Amino acid sequence: MTDPYESFAERYDLFFGPFDEHDPKTTEFFRTLFAHHHVHSVLDCACGTGRDLYLFHQLDCEVFGSDISAAMLAQAERNLASHHVSVPLDQADFRELPLTYAKEFDAVVCLSSAFFEMPDEVELRRALASMRGVLRDGGILVLTAGMSDRTWRDKPRFIPEVNRGDFTRLFVIDYFDAGARFNVVDLFHDPARKDMQVWSICYNRVFLRDDIEGALRKVGFHRYTFYGSYEFQPYDKEMSGMLIAVAEK
Ligand SMILES: C[S@@+](CC[C@H](N)C(=O)[O-])C[C@H]1O[C@@H](n2cnc3c(N)ncnc32)[C@H](O)[C@@H]1O
């Protein structure tokens, strides 16, 4: 199977500032959530380049990372090593986590729309059931997505992600029936480099709040909360620009 991130992994982190600096609201969200649910061990099952592994390590958690992409895992390895942090990393499809992990975690997280890479509801349920399968009783699953009911309704075509003196990154989004193609347009405009690169990922299916709730219930989660921001605002279909789901096993 081809890895869509192979040609993007080394540039992925241009979304963010320094690897060891996180948005304070995100940090406080996880600190508060993990304290409330007595979370010590955390599996980030779509860990990408490892930014959130570093954050959870800073929050004194026992951290594990997995991802399906060898290229993203290699970048995570480099990022963590350069910050002197050691985290076990495994290549695993998040639809099959019990094949890789015999232990149960206090929390499993799947962040930044990674579950949109599931082609349909059957595969989404497979993924959520697998994540549930490596959670202890009372443990929590955390999902986040940058696309919300509101953004799906408004269908913005251009979203600036980064706009610095030397570099600009823009999402240019094509919408179709139930899915969307995200084109990531990078413009380098520093004195040494003036060029453009485009990378795209296609989501066959964008899962909104009610789709996620239905899938969570079908795989056995009956206690869950949807937030619309990292400040614990309740999710509002009309207003929220992002979605966070927290489900308790
Ligand atoms: C948009 S990136 C998000 C990475 C990271 N969570 C973040 O917040 O930066 C999506 C990640 O999901 C991973 N992914 C996609 N499908 C997966 C699957 N079936 N199992 C595990 N990881 C998967 C991709 O390889 C990629 O690293």
Side-chain angles (χ1 to χ4, degrees):
M1 205 177 68
T2 58
D3 173 4
Y5 286 87
E6 195 175 339
S7 59
F8 190 51
E10 285 189 17
R11 302 210 305 286
Y12 183 85
D13 288 329
L14 290 171
F15 274 118
F16 315 110
F19 184 73
D20 53 0
E21 278 178 26
H22 275 77
D23 164 39
K25 286 180 187 160
T26 313
T27 306
E28 271 325 294
F29 174 83
F30 282 107
R31 193 196 305 281
T32 306
L33 186 74
F34 286 178
H36 182 74
H37 290 276
H38 309 289
V39 170
H40 178 59
S41 60
V42 183
L43 170 65
D44 183 346
C45 69
C47 68
T49 58
R51 281 182 65 79
D52 297 311
L53 300 176
Y54 184 85
L55 168 65
F56 302 143
H57 179 265
Q58 293 304 101
L59 295 179
D60 291 327
C61 295
E62 186 192 7
V63 186
F64 299 80
S66 62
D67 199 285
I68 202 167
S69 162
M72 292 295 258
L73 286 168
Q75 188 62 38
E77 183 97 57
R78 286 192 288 275
N79 285 339
L80 292 163
S82 65
H83 289 82
H84 313 290
V85 171
S86 167
V87 171
L89 297 174
D90 288 287
Q91 188 170 15
D93 186 328
F94 55 49
R95 286 167 287 192
E96 299 179 338
L97 294 170
L99 296 182
T100 300
Y101 297 103
K103 72 182 254 110
E104 292 182 336
F105 302 92
D106 300 328
V108 175
V109 306
C110 182
L111 307 178
S112 305
S113 312
F115 61 96
F116 283 2
E117 296 188 35
M118 295 297 93
D120 54 37
E121 275 158 354
V122 173
E123 293 304 303
L124 177 65
R125 288 203 294 274
R126 230 182 110 201
L128 299 184
S130 149
M131 295 170 197
R132 191 171 188 277
V134 293
L135 268 182
R136 68 156 164 84
D137 287 341
I140 52 168
L141 170 65
V142 185
L143 308 171
T144 67
M147 178 78 74
S148 63
D149 288 81
R150 190 196 88 195
T151 47
W152 180 251
R153 182 197 67 207
D154 293 349
K155 298 195 169 39
R157 186 101 165 85
F158 306 106
I159 302 179
E161 284 288 312
V162 182
N163 200 3
R164 297 196 314 246
D166 59 343
F167 175 69
T168 300
R169 171 167 284 178
L170 188 67
F171 281 144
V172 181
I173 308 170
D174 300 318
Y175 296 91
F176 48 86
D177 309 336
R181 169 180 289 273
F182 277 64
N183 303 288
V184 180
V185 179
D186 287 346
L187 297 155
F188 295 86
H189 36 83
D190 71 62
R193 182 167 184 196
K194 296 193 189 302
D195 63 326
M196 185 177 91
Q197 287 183 302
V198 182
W199 176 85
S200 301
I201 185 123
C202 194
Y203 301 131
N204 280 342
R205 184 79 167 76
V206 165
F207 300 104
L208 301 175
R209 187 210 172 284
D210 294 348
D211 306 314
I212 300 165
E213 177 176 20
L216 286 171
R217 292 184 72 81
K218 281 193 177 128
V219 305
F221 286 104
H222 297 291
R223 286 154 60 97
Y224 42 79
T225 310
F226 290 91
Y227 300 104
S229 77
Y230 283 116
E231 290 161 303
F232 293 98
Q233 282 168 316
Y235 182 78
D236 179 331
K237 281 188 184 175
E238 294 299 315
M239 300 297 293
S240 298
M242 70 170 299
L243 178 147
I244 305 170
V246 179
E248 204 175 318
K249 180 168 172 181

